[in-house]
Amino acid sequence: MPVNPAHTALWPAPYASEAVDATVHVPGSKSVTNRALVLAALASEPGWLRRPLRSRDTLLMAGALRELGVGIEETVSSSSSVAGGPEGTGEAWRVLPAGLSGPATVDVGNAGTVMRFLPPVAALADGPVRFDGDPRSYERPLNGVIDALRVLGARIDDDGRGALPLTVHGSGALDGGPVEIDASSSSQFVSALLLSAPRFNQGVEVRHTGSSLPSLPHIRMTVDMLRAVGAQVDTPESGGEPNVWRVTPGALLGRDLTIEPDLSNAQPFLAAALVTGGRVLIPDWPARTTQPGDRLREIFTEMGGSCELTDYGLVFTGSGSIHGIDVDLGDVGELTPGIAAVAALADSPSTLRNVSHLRLHETDRLAALTKEINELGGDVTETADGLHIRPRRLHGGIFHTYDDHRMATAGAIIGLAVEGVQIENVATTAKTLPDFPDLWTGMLGTSGV
């Protein structure tokens, strides 16, 4: 198979010769966009998604739902609104639910949300649905979803792998009911079952049996979005049993939803303010959100910055100093690469804890961060559940990404303070953050807010 030139190209990470002072408009949240697409596809009436993220992961989700018969119409307007939509570009997707049908083939790429959220949807389709994806997707755990769906009445062929590729033999309905799963390797196992549960005949009762549950904010996001379209959900936070979520069967409403900016994708830009002692404004930062990225306000403030949430957005300012941090990132593991990059530039050591599940993400992020930072002269060691980072004077070199978008942005952060860093396959950022190189160089070229 020929190698995509973008995968081997080296991108010179821009070095910041002065403090940044910029406004960065961060595209919509991948996590919200893909959950919203699934819920809109399962609704009883059409819905709108305003300002959706257009990236590889979300386009794979939209394409998969189209394969199953769902109508998704894309509208772009340069006027102030689209059919009553928000100010801005006016981009919107209109989702037209339909009877889910097979045979169909779904390409998941390497998108965890697609490979985990759509098998339950496929179980509701009338006909077989085959799931396949990138080579790395075969290595990512899917057994929690597969085993649970079988308990709930689905027929799935995976040749005993507990992973892709697989075929879901949809029968047009699914019994649902109680099921126990170990979601300690991915909270997406829980979200996957909850999202489709209102369409199961008996709804669902999901009981997590593992010792730990990473990324709880993402489950809270799923629950909030379900409730917003009319689903009845009982959770541990609402007085239910610990580690148990119940969804009652019922029709879902079509919504007109404006997608929040992706706060996790705001991370490298906030880090730029911290690393350069500058100032960055992220417009439309929500005052209340379930996105894990909102915790950056706390973490990066502890590492030496300050922030102010205004009516216009979040203003983050670096102090000119970067401090090490000892932090539990179990709920916000996706932020680990960017935090590790900043920690490598700090004035004291850092320990990043409770993120062993990152070994099963787009790549083994703990091993990758250790190798790449150390090859630039750093001193990073893996622990049982995270990383210990002792800052050292770094030098230029090639920073490999392993087809992982957050590795690419981590390398770019280091490149702000270290001359000669080259990012291999920066194009992988298109997975969740389209046009990252242009956004990055634009930030550095902006003289004021």
Side-chain angles (χ1 to χ4, degrees), residues 29-40 49 53 55-62 65 93 111-114 117-118 195 225 259 431:
S29 164
K30 177 206 74 174
S31 298
V32 175
T33 298
N34 273 357
R35 283 165 172 79
L37 280 169
V38 172
L39 292 172
L49 275 62
L53 174 66
S55 71
R56 188 185 186 214
D57 278 18
T58 61
L59 293 175
L60 284 167
M61 180 67 84
L65 291 170
W93 292 351
T113 52
V114 181
F117 292 177
L118 287 189
L195 285 167
M225 294 183 69
I259 306 297
K431 182 181 195 313

Side-chain angles (χ1 to χ4, degrees), residues 130-152:
R130 177 171 173 77
F131 288 81
D132 209 337
D134 297 352
R136 171 62 180 173
S137 71
Y138 291 13
E139 302 172 27
R140 300 185 67 182
L142 199 53
N143 57 297
V145 175
I146 294 170
D147 294 345
L149 285 175
R150 285 178 174 144
V151 170
L152 298 174

